[in-house]
């Protein structure tokens, strides 16, 4: 089984590794044997104002999407955790539906809707579209964190005189803080990488993945390898941070359980 896992990882990461290697290759076209080591393609990327514009749009949109998606995801996750009400299964199905919709269909639907309310073609339209995709992801991550909390903690805080808001502030949020920050980093990574929906609704406010798509349509340039390496490093950093936070929470819970036993 471990051999199969290693083979699967090799298949997934081989193209990324090749892109990373060729980004430092002096030859214009990827070929073996490699040419000399060069940073020329990174220098060209750094000197391109279109790349900096796309990076700025991506960072601004990613941070805003991460914050809004995490806030909405927390509210949805806590509603599912705490309350029982009629139609809850329908509520959960609708809340988790957007990531299951093909991105082309979702992009066309968002374009049609945002055009009707005169919001298509600007950064706000990208933020709204990415929040639709990111909020269910944040909800799933935070709901997993809430499921690890002792359900008696909230009633115990209420019995000691704490209001619902104080309980939320001093019990729920501190316990789920790793999941909250994990959801924040993951949704930022989702926004940073997503290009299909952004391509439909961004107009002239293109994010970095949309810029890369434009470069690919216009010409085959080694700059794509340099940009792709940069985007991959940022995305993986966010994912690793999220995984570290969530793994740390699981380890702490496991240690507490062992101590209680």
């Amino acid at each position: 089984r471990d051999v199969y896992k290693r083979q699967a990882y090799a298949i997934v990461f081989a193209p990324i590794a090749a892109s990373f290697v060729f980004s430092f290759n002096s030859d214009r076209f990827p070929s073996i044997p490699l040419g000399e080591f060069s940073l020329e393609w990174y220098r060209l990327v750094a000197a391109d104002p279109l790349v900096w514009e796309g990076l700025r749009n991506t960072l601004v949109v990613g941070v805003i999407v991460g914050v809004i998606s995490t806030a909405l995801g927390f509210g949805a996750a806590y509603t599912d955790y705490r309350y029982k009400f009629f139609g809850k299964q329908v509520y959960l199905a609708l809340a988790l539906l957007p990531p299951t919709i093909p991105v082309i269909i979702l992009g066309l639907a968002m374009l049609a809707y945002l055009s009707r309310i005169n919001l298509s073609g600007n950064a706000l339209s990208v933020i709204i579209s990415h929040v639709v995709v990111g909020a269910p992801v944040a909800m799933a991550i935070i709901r997993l964190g809430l499921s690890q909390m002792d359900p008696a903690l909230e009633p115990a805080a209420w019995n000691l005189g704490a209001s619902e808001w104080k309980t939320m502030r001093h019990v729920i949020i501190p316990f789920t803080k790793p999941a909250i920050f994990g959801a924040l980093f993951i949704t930022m990574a989702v926004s940073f990488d997503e290009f299909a929906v952004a391509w439909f609704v961004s107009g002239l406010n293109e994010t970095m993945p949309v810029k890369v798509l434009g470069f690919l349509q216009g010409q085959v340039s080694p700059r794509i390898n340099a940009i792709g390496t940069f985007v991959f490093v940022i995305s993986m950093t966010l994912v690793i941070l999220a995984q570290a936070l969530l793994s740390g929470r699981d380890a702490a819970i496991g240690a507490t359980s062992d101590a209680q036993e």
Side-chain angles (χ1 to χ4, degrees), residues 73 77-78 80-81 136-149 175-176 178-180 243 246-247 249-250 253:
Y78 183 75
D80 175 44
Y81 169 77
V137 177
M139 175 187 175
I141 295 173
I142 297 173
R143 182 64 181 87
L144 180 62
L146 286 170
S147 67
Q148 298 173 339
M149 187 176 69
F175 187 91
T176 57
I180 291 173
Q243 182 62 35
L246 296 175
S247 298
R249 163 60 71 185
D250 293 341
I253 292 175

Side-chain angles (χ1 to χ4, degrees), residues 35-223:
E36 297 179 355
F37 177 86
S38 174
L39 296 175
E40 177 64 20
W41 311 122
Y42 287 92
R43 283 194 289 266
L44 291 175
V45 167
D48 191 340
L50 293 178
V51 173
W52 286 106
E53 180 185 0
L55 178 60
R56 183 179 65 252
N57 291 337
T58 300
L59 292 176
V60 171
V61 168
V63 171
I64 296 175
V65 167
V67 172
I68 297 176
S69 297
T70 302
L72 293 176
F74 177 83
Y78 183 75
T79 300
D80 175 44
Y81 169 77
R82 174 50 57 195
Y83 301 105
K84 295 181 180 180
F85 50 89
F86 176 76
K88 185 175 181 178
Q89 295 302 320
V90 177
Y91 160 79
L92 292 176
L94 293 176
L96 298 173
L97 179 63
T100 66
I101 300 175
V103 290
I104 300 299
I105 296 176
L106 184 61
L108 287 171
M110 294 302 300
L111 175 62
Y113 173 73
L114 293 172
S115 298
R116 291 178 63 89
I117 58 176
N118 297 321
L119 284 180
S120 179
N122 53 47
L124 181 59
S125 63
V126 182
I127 292 172
I128 294 173
S129 301
H130 284 184
V131 167
V132 171
V133 177
V137 177
M139 175 187 175
I141 295 173
I142 297 173
R143 182 64 181 87
L144 180 62
L146 286 170
S147 67
Q148 298 173 339
M149 187 176 69
D150 188 341
L153 287 178
E154 271 191 299
W158 297 335
N159 291 334
L160 292 173
S163 65
E164 291 186 359
W165 285 110
K166 284 188 176 181
T167 302
M168 176 69 69
R169 179 181 176 183
H170 296 289
V171 177
I172 303 298
I173 292 180
F175 187 91
T176 57
K177 187 180 294 185
I180 291 173
F181 279 100
L184 175 65
F185 294 140
I186 290 294
T187 50
M188 288 175 60
V190 169
S191 175
F192 199 89
D193 291 336
E194 202 284 323
F195 75 93
V197 176
W199 184 77
F200 279 102
V201 303
S202 61
L204 298 177
N205 297 274
E206 296 177 339
T207 59
M208 181 68 79
V210 179
K211 294 284 187 185
V212 171
L213 181 62
F215 289 150
L216 285 173
Q217 291 175 336
Q219 59 182 327
V220 178
S221 173
R223 292 182 301 167

Side-chain angles (χ1 to χ4, degrees), residues 185-186 233-247:
F185 294 140
I186 290 294
V233 168
I234 292 181
S235 299
M236 284 303 298
T237 300
L238 292 172
V239 172
I240 290 171
L241 286 173
Q243 182 62 35
L245 287 169
L246 296 175
S247 298

